[in-house]
Amino acid sequence: MSEPIRILHVLTAMNLAGTETLLMNLYRNIDRSKIQFDFAVTTNKKCAYDDEIESLGGKIIHYPLYRGVNHLSYVSWWNKFFQEHEEYHIIHGHIGSTAAIYLHVAKKYGRYTIAHSHSTYGPLNLHTVLYKTFSYPTRYIADYFLGCSRDALVERYGKQILRKDNVRVLNNGIDAKKYVFTEEKRMMIRDELQLSPDDVIIGTVGRLTPQKNPFFIIQIIKELNRRNVKFKFLWVGTGELKEKVTSNLKKEIANHQVIMAGTRNDINDVLQAMDIFVFPSVFEGLGIAAVEAQAAGLCTLCSDTIPREVKVTATCEFLPIRDVSTWCDRIEQIIQSREYLNRINRYAEIVTADYDIHKTVEWLSDFYQSHF
């Protein structure tokens, strides 16, 4: 029996985040007798998915973090790596800032290179300018370009990219069957989190970072309280703003009203416990959490700054990013009309929209094998 094709995915760390979760969904469902994933990461810390990766036959490789001043040693590391590891014919790059470096080195050794954009740039600041500057050459280096949306492709590689043949929007597929709403799962999570069956639960899933707009969410909570709307808020995720967010919540909002659930590896189940999902991101490459929320049958309210491809069912709406009052008006309307109770099976809609992981895996498997 021949050895499987080994694909090297280049990232920062395999923790619980959008890109990493997509890769794990792909990895779990791909035929690993034909295709194996290995992961190159910069962190030396153990990550959330490391044990599962190794249990599935994958390897975790540690490469140096690029700091600018270590440019020569960084390039030297990749040269040595590709000299010593001929088993990697396909290099799938998910780190855009240094893709122009490591993909360029990979091509020098005859490897097939993929640049994958998972996000847009967001607000213009020094970090964004530097990121754009470093990532710009990638459009002239990679053999193939993937993006989670048209916006993610255009912002990273320019408008001309959509006219080329070596490009595709690869939908961030989910295992849609696992998100189908059931009352049993709903009550199981509510019992765990000590939530009443009758509580109206508004929720979100996302890292506590400026991109996800957590302080806008706090404004929503405060305004709904001012209006005497009865609800609780379930917040899933952690990140750099955790201390500031929790401190703000303690000052302004009753302890029992907001449940900070931290990171969870059972998002498909946790979504069952919610009634309304809010997703006011400042920017997104796509916003897979909103697709997951729709798969769970939730009323899903998204900011008007994220790609429209995220709307895959009739339950998704876009609201102005800076208007707290409009968000609260809509939430109040949903609660008063009790439309949040209309949790029907959305599986067929997710599949029709090509967001089921099995379709994504089918295409990607064929793609890898055709370029080996």
Side-chain angles (χ1 to χ4, degrees), residues 81-109:
F81 178 82
F82 288 121
Q83 288 171 3
E84 296 177 351
H85 294 273
E86 295 182 358
E87 68 269 29
Y88 298 115
H89 180 72
I90 298 174
I91 312 303
H92 195 147
H94 305 275
I95 298 298
S97 56
T98 55
I101 302 174
Y102 64 79
L103 293 184
H104 176 73
V105 177
K107 282 176 70 74
K108 187 170 73 171
Y109 292 93

Side-chain angles (χ1 to χ4, degrees), residues 193 203-208 233-238 259-267 270-271 274 277:
L193 298 175
T204 194
V205 175
R207 291 171 292 115
L208 295 175
F233 196 93
L234 177 54
W235 206 323
V236 182
T238 189
I259 299 91
M260 300 299 289
T263 56
R264 304 273 305 209
N265 58 10
D266 59 346
I267 298 300
V270 174
L271 289 170
M274 299 180 188
F277 188 85

Side-chain angles (χ1 to χ4, degrees), residues 285-327:
L286 176 74
I288 192 61
V291 175
E292 293 174 320
Q294 292 171 77
L298 284 166
C299 296
T300 305
L301 306 181
C302 298
S303 58
D304 58 1
T305 55
I306 69 176
R308 292 304 189 264
E309 289 104 313
V310 80
K311 181 179 173 66
V312 294
T313 75
T315 65
C316 181
E317 304 173 40
F318 297 96
L319 298 174
I321 185 64
R322 291 180 176 85
D323 190 349
V324 172
S325 180
T326 299
W327 286 71

Side-chain angles (χ1 to χ4, degrees), residues 1-188:
M1 183 176 176
S2 61
E3 290 292 316
I5 300 168
R6 299 200 82 91
I7 310 298
L8 184 67
H9 292 277
V10 183
L11 307 98
T12 300
M14 284 304 293
N15 278 317
L16 298 169
T19 299
E20 294 81 358
T21 298
L22 166 66
L23 288 176
M24 290 307 297
N25 283 338
L26 292 168
Y27 192 23
R28 294 177 188 120
N29 288 281
I30 209 160
D31 185 345
R32 292 185 297 279
S33 68
K34 296 179 179 178
I35 298 169
Q36 256 294 346
F37 285 2
D38 292 336
F39 301 87
V41 300
T42 58
T43 183
N44 288 314
K45 296 179 180 178
K46 186 171 182 178
C47 298
Y49 288 125
D50 285 5
D51 287 343
E52 185 179 0
I53 287 168
E54 291 176 342
S55 73
L56 296 175
K59 300 173 185 176
I60 299 166
I61 296 151
H62 301 275
Y63 69 97
L65 177 67
Y66 185 79
R67 296 186 177 88
V69 294
N70 67 335
H71 178 82
L72 293 178
S73 61
Y74 182 84
V75 173
S76 176
W77 190 94
W78 282 110
N79 271 292
K80 187 172 185 291
F81 178 82
F82 288 121
Q83 288 171 3
E84 296 177 351
H85 294 273
E86 295 182 358
E87 68 269 29
Y88 298 115
H89 180 72
I90 298 174
I91 312 303
H92 195 147
H94 305 275
I95 298 298
S97 56
T98 55
I101 302 174
Y102 64 79
L103 293 184
H104 176 73
V105 177
K107 282 176 70 74
K108 187 170 73 171
Y109 292 93
R111 312 305 163 86
Y112 189 81
T113 57
I114 303 166
H116 198 149
S117 176
H118 296 273
S119 184
T120 53
Y121 286 120
L124 188 65
N125 52 38
L126 179 59
H127 177 267
T128 303
V129 171
L130 290 172
Y131 195 102
K132 284 186 175 184
T133 302
F134 277 98
S135 65
Y136 184 84
T138 306
R139 66 188 69 187
Y140 304 111
I141 294 170
D143 294 303
Y144 204 90
F145 301 88
L146 295 174
C148 59
S149 67
R150 289 169 63 91
D151 287 357
L153 282 166
V154 169
E155 284 220 17
R156 188 68 54 83
Y157 310 120
K159 292 180 181 179
Q160 298 300 318
I161 195 69
L162 298 179
R163 299 179 183 178
K164 297 184 177 182
D165 295 328
N166 60 336
V167 62
R168 181 184 176 91
V169 172
L170 185 69
N171 290 338
N172 286 9
I174 62 172
D175 195 345
K177 284 185 178 178
K178 291 184 178 180
Y179 291 83
V180 174
F181 176 76
T182 69
E183 192 65 35
E184 181 182 5
K185 285 183 182 178
R186 176 184 179 84
M187 295 313 303
M188 177 185 72

